[in-house]
Amino acid sequence: MAEESTAFQQALKLADHDRRIAEMEANMKTIKPIVYETSNSVKQIEKSVGKMEANSDKKRGYVQAAVVTGVIGIVFIAIKSLIGI
C-alpha cells in the first residue's frame, strides 16, 4: 500500500510538473513578442536620440559660426572706422 501511495504521489508530482511547464510555455509565448517589441522600441529611441544629438551639435556649430562671424564683422568695422575708410 505504501508503494502505491508513493507511486501515486510521484505521478501527481509529475503531472503538476508537466502542468507548470505548459503554463510557462504559454507565458513565454505571451511575453516573447512583448520583449521583442520593447527591444525594437528601445533601438528606435536610441537612433532618435543619436539624431537629436547630431542635430544639436550642428545647431551649436551654426551658432558658434554666427558669433565668430559677428565678432569678426565688428572688429573689421572698428578697424575700418579707426583707419577712416
Side-chain angles (χ1 to χ4, degrees), residues 8-57:
F8 182 70
Q9 288 175 346
Q10 288 177 345
L12 283 177
K13 285 181 183 179
L14 183 61
D16 185 52
H17 180 72
D18 290 342
R19 181 188 56 83
R20 288 183 182 190
I21 288 176
E23 286 177 359
M24 286 189 197
E25 288 173 349
N27 290 340
M28 285 299 297
K29 288 179 183 175
T30 303
I31 293 171
K32 195 173 184 179
I34 295 170
V35 170
Y36 284 132
E37 187 176 316
T38 303
S39 174
N40 289 335
S41 296
V42 168
K43 288 176 186 175
Q44 289 175 349
I45 290 169
E46 287 174 345
K47 286 180 184 178
S48 296
V49 168
K51 288 179 182 177
M52 289 170 51
E53 288 174 347
N55 288 338
S56 174
D57 290 344

